[in-house]
Amino acid sequence: LSIFSLLSLFNNVVCFTFAPISSASKLYYGTDVNLGHLVAFFFLAYIIFSFPSSRFVEKYGLRSGILVGAWLQVLGNSIRCLGHRVISDAEFPCVLAGQLVASLAQPFFV
């Protein structure tokens, strides 16, 4: 239960990363996009993938569902970090892609 709770907490931390600092993030990435709206990825992913993830958990079990969600979270955050550390020319697209992949983990935790 504690691992599940921590994974859910980390998922929400990633979800709301840019909401309180959207204006500073816009300056850093040099974009006109309101980064506070990246939270919408998580809500849309939940609406779209809640039934498939529920089906997955029903078929393969809660443990497998939590593992898939955890690995999606790791992969999404790795993509976000990759853009910052390795591919400096594509920081913002990597943030978007990482946020999208990490949002796919939310239906497994909610």
Side-chain angles (χ1 to χ4, degrees):
L1 181 61
S2 61
I3 291 172
F4 182 78
S5 298
L6 284 173
L7 286 170
S8 182
L9 171 78
F10 293 143
N11 188 266
N12 283 318
V13 166
V14 172
C15 177
F16 295 105
T17 300
F18 294 107
I21 57 168
S22 63
S23 59
S25 299
K26 281 171 53 172
L27 291 174
Y28 178 78
Y29 290 115
T31 182
D32 292 332
V33 176
N34 186 355
L35 295 175
H37 294 301
L38 289 178
V39 174
F41 282 173
F42 282 78
F43 299 137
L44 291 173
Y46 180 75
I47 291 169
I48 295 169
F49 293 105
S50 62
F51 291 116
S53 65
S54 296
R55 176 75 175 136
F56 182 88
V57 169
E58 182 180 323
K59 186 173 183 179
Y60 297 107
L62 183 60
R63 180 179 180 191
S64 297
I66 290 173
L67 286 172
V68 167
W71 281 109
L72 284 170
Q73 188 73 25
V74 167
L75 181 63
N77 286 316
S78 297
I79 292 170
R80 286 173 61 175
C81 291
L82 181 74
H84 180 67
R85 297 288 181 196
V86 179
I87 311 170
S88 60
D89 293 338
E91 278 184 299
F92 187 64
C94 284
V95 167
L96 291 177
Q99 192 81 355
L100 181 63
V101 171
S103 71
L104 298 177
Q106 185 176 15
F108 290 100
F109 300 136
V110 174

